Amino acid sequence: SLPAKLINGGIAGLIGVTCVFPIDLAKTRLQNQQNGQRMYTSLSDCLIKTIRSEGYFGMYRGAAVNLTLVTPEKAIKLAANDFFRHHLSKDGKKLTLLKEMLAGCGAGTCQVIVTTPMEMLKIQLQDAGRIEAQRKLMAAQAQISSSSPEPAAERRPTATQITRELLRSKGIAGLYKGLGATLLRDVPFSIVYFPLFANLNKLGQKDPNVKAPFYVSFLSGCVAGSTAAVAVNPCDVIKTRLQSLQRGVNEDTYSGILDCTKKIWQREGPTAFFKGAYCRALVIAPLFGIAQVVYFVGIAEFLLDMLPKRQA
C-alpha cells in the first residue's frame, strides 16, 4: 500500500542518514575547497580536524535538516519508482531495461521537490566549519606578521535563519538555487541505480514470487548505489559549488552550470570533478543498502498491522 511504502521509505532514510552523515559532511567540504586554499587532504584528515575544532557533534552539523526532510525525500523517491514501474508494466510482464530507466527517471525528477531545498540548507551548515577554519588560519597568519588582535568568532547561522533570509530576499526561488544541477545529478543517478538494483536483486531470488534475502537486497543496494554515485559525481560537485552561498578567501563564484563547469575545468583540471567521489560512494552505498533492506523487508507492514483494527 502507498502508506506502507511512504513509511518504509521514511524509516530507511532516517536510519541511513544517521549512519553515514559524517562522511557526507566530509564530502561537501572536500568538494567545496579550491586550489590554493585546501584545508583538508582526505576523508580521514577532514573528520579528524572537524572533531578537533568543532567537537564530535561537529560531524553532524546540518544533520537536523537532513533528518527532517529525508523522510519525505526517500519516501517520494522509492514510492515514485514503484509507481512508475507499476504503470509501465503491462499484464505483469517483465519490464524492459528502457522502461526500468524511465521509471528511475520519473523517481529522480519527483524527488528534487524536496531534495533541492534540503541540500541547499545542508550544504551551508556543513561548509560553515570549513570557512570558519580557513578564516582562523588566515587570521593567525596575519597576526604573526602584525600585532593586530585576532578577530572575534562569527556566529554560525541556523537552518531556520538561512531559510528566513532566503525567503525574505529571493522568495521561494532562493531555496531552489541549483535546481538544474540537482536534476542533472538525481535523474541520471536514478536512471542508473534503480534498474541496476532491480537486476542485481533478482540474482538472489530463488523464486520470482519470493523476496530476495535481506543480505542480497543490502549488497545490491550498496553496489548499485556506489556505482551510480561515482557516475554522477561531476554533477554533484557542480551542484555543491552552485548551492554554496559563502565562499572562502580567493575562491571562485559561479553564475550557472556552464560557468561553473568551465571554471573548474580550466582552473582545477578534470580530476576536480571527482573530488569527494570515494566519500560519496561510502555515503550512498550503505545509505541505499540500508534503505532497500528496510523498504523491501517491509517494516511499515509490521507497524501498520500493530495498529488496532476497526471493528466491522
Side-chain angles (χ1 to χ4, degrees):
S1 64
L2 182 60
K5 290 177 181 178
L6 295 177
I7 294 171
N8 276 333
I11 294 172
L14 288 172
I15 296 172
V17 166
T18 303
C19 293
V20 302
F21 193 84
I23 305 174
D24 186 63
L25 178 137
K27 180 218 60 142
T28 297
R29 294 187 177 185
L30 289 170
Q31 286 182 339
N32 257 338
Q33 63 180 8
Q34 300 178 22
N35 291 343
Q37 293 296 335
R38 297 185 60 178
M39 297 296 302
Y40 316 107
T41 58
S42 64
L43 166 64
S44 58
D45 181 57
C46 180
L47 293 179
I48 290 170
K49 287 180 178 177
T50 298
I51 293 172
R52 285 176 179 172
S53 61
E54 303 170 54
Y56 175 79
F57 290 104
M59 295 190 299
Y60 283 89
R61 191 171 300 280
V65 174
N66 249 34
L67 291 172
T68 302
L69 296 178
V70 75
T71 298
E73 188 255 351
K74 282 290 178 289
I76 289 171
K77 185 170 191 166
L78 295 173
N81 181 65
D82 273 5
F83 173 83
F84 288 116
R85 287 179 69 91
H86 174 73
H87 284 278
L88 286 169
S89 62
K90 293 181 180 179
D91 302 325
K93 291 182 180 179
K94 181 181 177 181
L95 283 174
T96 63
L97 179 60
L98 178 60
K99 287 185 177 180
E100 287 183 333
M101 294 173 71
L102 286 173
C105 178
T109 304
C110 290
Q111 79 169 82
V112 297
I113 298 169
V114 178
T115 303
T116 306
M118 178 181 75
E119 292 275 313
M120 177 73 179
L121 295 172
K122 183 195 72 171
I123 286 171
Q124 314 316 314
L125 298 171
Q126 285 182 329
D127 203 38
R130 181 187 70 89
I131 294 174
E132 176 67 13
Q134 188 188 92
R135 188 191 69 82
K136 286 181 178 179
L137 179 62
M138 298 292 289
Q141 291 174 349
Q143 198 173 18
I144 292 174
S145 58
S146 66
S147 57
S148 58
E150 185 179 348
E154 295 181 6
R155 189 175 180 181
R156 293 176 187 171
T158 64
T160 304
Q161 291 171 335
I162 294 170
T163 303
R164 286 175 179 171
E165 178 59 28
L166 285 171
L167 290 174
R168 184 189 64 79
S169 60
K170 299 181 180 179
I172 193 68
L175 291 173
Y176 281 87
K177 183 180 180 182
L179 174 61
T182 306
L183 280 168
L184 282 177
R185 182 196 67 172
D186 288 349
V187 171
F189 178 92
S190 295
I191 289 173
V192 174
Y193 172 78
F194 283 110
L196 183 56
F197 169 79
N199 285 282
L200 289 174
N201 198 52
K202 284 177 186 175
L203 297 176
Q205 291 179 281
K206 295 180 180 179
D207 187 324
N209 298 318
V210 179
K211 289 180 180 178
F214 78 93
Y215 64 86
V216 173
S217 293
F218 176 77
L219 291 174
S220 299
C222 288
V223 173
S226 57
T227 302
V230 174
V232 303
N233 197 76
C235 298
D236 189 57
V237 172
I238 294 168
K239 181 200 72 66
T240 301
R241 295 281 182 96
L242 289 175
Q243 288 187 320
S244 298
L245 299 177
Q246 294 186 11
R247 305 285 178 190
V249 180
N250 300 323
E251 290 185 345
D252 290 327
T253 57
Y254 312 102
S255 60
I257 295 173
L258 292 177
D259 180 57
C260 182
T261 304
K262 182 180 177 181
K263 286 180 178 178
I264 292 174
W265 182 277
Q266 291 178 341
R267 299 176 188 181
E268 301 175 58
T271 57
F273 290 105
F274 287 92
K275 283 184 177 180
Y278 66 98
C279 293
R280 183 162 165 75
L282 289 173
V283 168
I284 296 297
L287 180 62
F288 276 83
I290 293 167
Q292 292 294 177
V293 168
V294 173
Y295 193 67
F296 280 90
V297 167
I299 289 178
E301 285 82 351
F302 172 75
L303 294 175
L304 291 173
D305 286 342
M306 292 184 66
L307 295 175
K309 303 293 183 181
R310 182 178 295 178
Q311 299 295 325

